[in-house]
């Protein structure tokens, strides 16, 4: 199983030492390894050779089953849309999604049917007698019906059942779900560790992309693999200010919105005399007024609700860039 993120070593040790509940909630920003930490916890709980509260040995029969994705006492619950990419990133077996015409698009929610199947697994006896572990990611993908179906088992697990939920938006979880879990914060990794990992992965100008993602190394790697360079990122503010739709045309709609929201955030900071957070300060104009930018920020929030399904993507993008250009121009006066 490929889940080797060096900055997770200390949080893993801390979680194993501090775990006092049958259910843990790994929470923190996206792109720093919540899923990988959840899976490492699960493997450690199932390991048959490691001492209590110690990381998995990686060599015992249980660890070998786990690494091959065939451990009978482990279940990983993901939305359909994440099944293939998440399992591939972990080095676990997966099936390619069915993309035939007429086939419904894979859901980004975890639905009640999946939870019901999970409950059948939870009620069965442990095959190897050590424990049974359920990992759920991202926990906020549980829709309301699915979350309520999970509650009783989460509150009163049978036998040796343990849960590890992972979330980058834990505030959106049902309070009843949160209250049944021991929180485990996962902060941004140390910058030096994140840069070292990105450089090993072959990311060029890693420092710029890491800053662009707000210190989230997995997201920086994803952006790099999608073709984004630091030079292109730093050119974005001036291109948007000129009304160049092509500056965003290669990005999927949700990522285009995300880029504009980061730009808006930095421009508001600049209007108050602060340096950029996601862009180099030298790449940003110096607005004189924040009001037009704050109004634009509201427009972007509204646009984000439809980013996954714009009726006409090209016209939608043109409108976004026109809004951005107008906001930047007005803020400079």
């Amino acid at each position: 199983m490929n889940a080797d993120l060096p900055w997770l070593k200390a949080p893993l040790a801390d979680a194993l030492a501090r775990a006092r509940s049958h259910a843990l909630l790994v929470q923190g920003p996206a792109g720093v390894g919540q899923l990988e930490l959840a899976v490492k916890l699960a493997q450690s709980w199932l390991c048959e050779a490691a001492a209590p509260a110690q990381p998995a040995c990686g060599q015992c029969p249980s660890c070998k089953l786990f690494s091959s994705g065939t451990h009978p006492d482990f279940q990983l619950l993901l939305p359909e849309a994440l099944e293939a990419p998440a399992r591939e990133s972990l080095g676990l077996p997966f099936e390619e999604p069915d993309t035939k015409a007429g086939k419904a698009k894979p859901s980004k929610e975890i639905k009640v049917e999946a939870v019901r199947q999970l409950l059948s697994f939870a009620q069965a006896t442990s095959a190897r007698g050590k424990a049974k572990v359920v990992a759920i990611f991202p926990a906020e993908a549980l829709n309301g019906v699915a979350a309520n179906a999970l509650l009783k088992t989460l509150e009163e697990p049978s036998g040796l059942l343990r849960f590890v939920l992972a979330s980058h938006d834990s505030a959106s979880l049902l309070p009843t779900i949160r209250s049944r879990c021991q929180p485990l914060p996962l902060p941004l990794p140390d910058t030096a560790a994140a840069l070292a990992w990105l450089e090993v992965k072959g990311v060029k100008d890693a420092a710029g992309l890491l800053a662009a993602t707000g210190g989230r190394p997995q997201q920086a790697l994803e952006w790099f693999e999608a073709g984004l360079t630091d030079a292109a990122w730093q050119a974005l503010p001036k291109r948007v200010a000129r009304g160049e739709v092509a500056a965003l045309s290669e990005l999927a709609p949700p990522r285009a919105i995300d880029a504009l929201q980061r730009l808006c955030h930095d421009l508001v900071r600049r209007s108050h005399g602060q340096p950029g957070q996601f862009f180099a300060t030298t790449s940003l104009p110096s607005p004189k007024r924040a009001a037009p930018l704050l109004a634009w920020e509201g427009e972007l929030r509204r646009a984000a609700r439809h980013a996954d399904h714009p009726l006409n993507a090209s016209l939608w993008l043109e409108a976004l860039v026109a809004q951005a250009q107008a906001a930047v121009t007005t803020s400079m006066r």
Side-chain angles (χ1 to χ4, degrees), residues 75 117-125 132 134 153 158-159 161 163:
Q75 285 283 308
Q117 291 177 9
L118 181 69
L119 297 182
S120 297
F121 161 82
Q123 292 162 3
T125 303
K132 293 172 72 71
V134 172
T153 302
S158 58
L161 181 63
F163 286 89

Side-chain angles (χ1 to χ4, degrees), residues 3-4 13 21 62 100 146 149 170 178 183 211 213 245-246 262 271 295:
D4 187 20
S21 171
S62 178
K100 293 179 181 178
S170 59
R178 292 200 306 271
T213 59
V245 178
R262 290 169 196 256
S271 71

Side-chain angles (χ1 to χ4, degrees), residues 147-172:
N148 282 310
L150 182 66
L151 275 177
K152 184 172 178 56
T153 302
L154 192 61
E155 184 176 20
E156 300 175 359
S158 58
L160 301 173
L161 181 63
R162 304 188 76 165
F163 286 89
V164 54
L165 284 67
S167 172
H168 54 254
D169 186 17
S170 59
S172 68

Side-chain angles (χ1 to χ4, degrees), residues 71-255:
H71 200 297
D73 293 328
F74 174 63
Q75 285 283 308
L76 175 58
L77 186 58
L78 301 159
E80 290 178 357
L82 283 185
E83 275 282 350
R87 291 182 182 277
E88 183 179 21
S89 71
L90 294 168
L92 297 174
F94 66 94
E95 294 183 4
E96 291 288 351
D98 188 349
T99 56
K100 293 179 181 178
K103 180 73 175 178
K105 188 176 181 180
S107 175
K108 293 185 177 182
E109 290 187 340
I110 296 175
K111 298 182 178 180
V112 67
E113 293 81 7
V115 171
R116 287 173 180 154
Q117 291 177 9
L118 181 69
L119 297 182
S120 297
F121 161 82
Q123 292 162 3
T125 303
S126 169
R128 297 188 65 83
K130 175 77 174 179
K132 293 172 72 71
V133 182
V134 172
I136 302 176
F137 174 83
E140 63 269 17
L142 288 160
N143 66 27
V145 179
N148 282 310
L150 182 66
L151 275 177
K152 184 172 178 56
T153 302
L154 192 61
E155 184 176 20
E156 300 175 359
S158 58
L160 301 173
L161 181 63
R162 304 188 76 165
F163 286 89
V164 54
L165 284 67
S167 172
H168 54 254
D169 186 17
S170 59
S172 68
L173 293 175
L174 288 178
T176 44
I177 292 283
R178 292 200 306 271
S179 67
R180 286 161 173 77
C181 299
Q182 177 182 342
L184 178 65
L186 182 61
L188 293 172
D190 175 75
T191 299
L195 286 176
W197 180 77
L198 287 170
E199 287 166 3
V200 168
K201 294 292 185 180
V203 177
K204 297 179 181 178
D205 299 317
L209 286 179
L210 185 63
T213 59
R216 304 173 185 192
Q218 287 182 309
Q219 192 174 56
L221 177 62
E222 179 188 344
W223 286 15
F224 177 76
E225 290 178 341
L228 182 65
T229 64
D230 181 50
W233 179 255
Q234 299 303 339
L236 185 64
K238 292 179 181 178
R239 295 187 68 189
V240 168
R242 291 194 296 265
E244 294 184 28
V245 178
L248 298 170
S249 61
E250 297 299 318
L251 302 181
R255 187 167 291 175

